[in-house]
């Protein structure tokens, strides 16, 4: 069923799920997926993960532990509908300034609407841009976060270098992503759920299962915890470490620009 994970040496740039595509062809296909799913994205996240994504996002933000003072700036890349940025602002007791960056205007539009409803517009700004080419000066942010986004970015090495560039010295990189399950029975149950149930639920809820097949396949292709940690270190980050959540279904990776 699966064609195996890519390694630290690369391969994600030309892998659109299990399909091989030309360099430069992946991003438009990914954009199409998120334009299609934007309006149902939050509902589908709950259905696909049985609500678990909320727990993993809370755990990631708890690990980030944003300071409760003004002037601290975080960039949430591939921030989509704002889940991570909203949590960070709440954890900073309303003090953090968060920039939500995403390549997809449809996802950001949902995020903006949610921010208005939550009364959080003062703390947030939304920027439509590519993680591979961040429109910010060097050493701008205290933290860079990215949740369930990096596997969708074609040139992960370039995105990691950009993360390093825009962080201030002493800044923190934190990435949440689906990863490799390290519990024997859980891995089979998870694979069966992913490949059978998720595209079907996607089709029922949105009328189109294809975007969800891509999401599941892209998870199966993404480098495992150790290989991804090696990529983060190669971008220049130090003290790289990771934490598994739910037996490795998801993992958070941390690194510091020192
Ligand atoms: C699975 S969603 C994650 C959204 C949000 N971070 C969350 O955890 O709910 C992945 C997001 O990555 C964005 N994305 C894909 N490629 C990107 C790129 N090259 N630069 C910035 N964002 C990108 C998509 O538009 C989408 O909003």
């Amino acid at each position: 069923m699966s064609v195996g994970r890519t390694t630290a040496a690369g391969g994600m740039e030309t892998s659109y799920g299990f399909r091989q595509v030309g360099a430069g062809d992946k991003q438009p296909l990914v954009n199409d997926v998120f334009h299609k799913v934007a309006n149902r994205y939050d509902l589908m996240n709950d259905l696909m993960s049985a609500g678990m994504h909320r727990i993993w996002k809370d755990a990631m933000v708890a690990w980030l532990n944003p300071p409760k003072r003004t002037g601290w700036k975080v960039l949430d890349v591939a921030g989509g509908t704002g889940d991570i940025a909203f949590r960070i602002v709440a954890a900073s007791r309303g003090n953090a300034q968060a920039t939500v960056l995403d390549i997809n205007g449809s996802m950001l539009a949902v995020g903006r609407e949610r921010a208005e409803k939550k009364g959080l517009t003062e703390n947030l700004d939304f920027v439509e841009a590519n993680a591979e080419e961040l429109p910010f000066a060097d050493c701008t942010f205290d933290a860079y976060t990215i949740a369930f986004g990096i596997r969708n970015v074609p040139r992960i090495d370039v995105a990691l270098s950009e993360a390093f560039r825009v962080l201030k010295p002493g800044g923190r990189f934190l990435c949440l992503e689906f990863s490799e399950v390290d519990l024997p029975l859980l891995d089979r149950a998870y694979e069966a759920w992913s490949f059978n149930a998720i595209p079907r639920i996607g089709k029922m809820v949105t009328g189109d299962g294809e975007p969800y097949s891509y999401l599941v396949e892209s998870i199966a292709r993404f480098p495992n915890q150790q290989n991804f940690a090696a990529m983060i270190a190669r971008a220049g980050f130090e003290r790289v470490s990771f934490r598994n959540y739910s037996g490795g279904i998801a993992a958070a990776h941390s690194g510091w620009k020192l």
Side-chain angles (χ1 to χ4, degrees), residues 2-212:
S2 133
V3 296
R5 291 187 179 276
T6 54
T7 66
M12 286 299 282
E13 184 179 352
T14 51
S15 102
Y16 174 73
F18 289 165
R19 262 169 58 197
Q20 282 303 113
V21 295
D25 293 341
K26 176 171 171 170
Q27 189 74 63
L29 290 166
V30 168
N31 294 348
D32 198 38
V33 165
F34 288 101
H35 283 305
K36 279 185 188 151
V37 305
N39 284 321
R40 294 292 172 96
Y41 176 78
D42 294 309
L43 170 65
M44 275 304 294
N45 256 355
D46 278 328
L47 294 176
M48 289 189 316
S49 73
M52 293 298 287
H53 74 106
R54 293 169 185 260
I55 294 167
W56 301 328
K57 287 171 178 168
D58 287 346
M60 175 204 194
V61 173
W63 196 12
L64 179 66
N65 191 20
K68 282 86 189 151
R69 61 169 165 82
T70 53
W72 187 83
K73 294 203 295 186
V74 58
L75 174 65
D76 183 43
V77 173
T81 60
D83 262 9
I84 298 298
F86 301 157
R87 279 172 170 77
I88 292 174
V89 171
S92 74
R93 300 211 188 102
N95 287 306
Q97 203 57 44
T99 299
V100 181
L101 179 140
D102 201 286
I103 203 167
N104 195 304
S106 308
M107 293 290 281
L108 286 176
V110 177
R112 265 196 209 99
E113 202 176 307
R114 291 178 79 204
E116 272 161 31
K117 282 193 189 137
K118 288 174 187 285
L120 287 178
T121 47
E122 296 269 292
N123 295 81
L124 297 169
D125 57 315
F126 292 84
V127 174
E128 191 173 326
N130 191 336
E132 296 179 4
E133 217 176 331
L134 297 175
F136 307 108
D138 299 357
C139 308
T140 301
F141 295 96
D142 298 286
Y144 172 114
T145 53
I146 182 163
F148 304 119
I150 196 92
R151 74 176 193 284
N152 298 295
V153 176
R155 294 181 301 160
I156 293 175
D157 286 339
V158 176
L160 292 173
S161 299
E162 280 290 89
F164 192 83
R165 181 182 69 74
V166 300
L167 275 171
K168 296 176 185 169
R172 175 95 180 269
F173 168 88
L174 205 48
C175 173
L176 179 65
E177 191 48 90
F178 291 103
S179 204
E180 187 166 73
V181 178
D182 66 355
L183 297 176
L185 286 175
L186 181 63
D187 61 353
R188 278 191 232 145
Y190 175 63
E191 187 170 303
W193 167 258
S194 305
F195 285 94
N196 300 315
I198 290 178
R200 281 197 198 135
I201 298 173
K203 187 157 181 80
M204 259 165 25
V205 175
T206 67
D208 186 359
E210 199 279 329
Y212 297 93

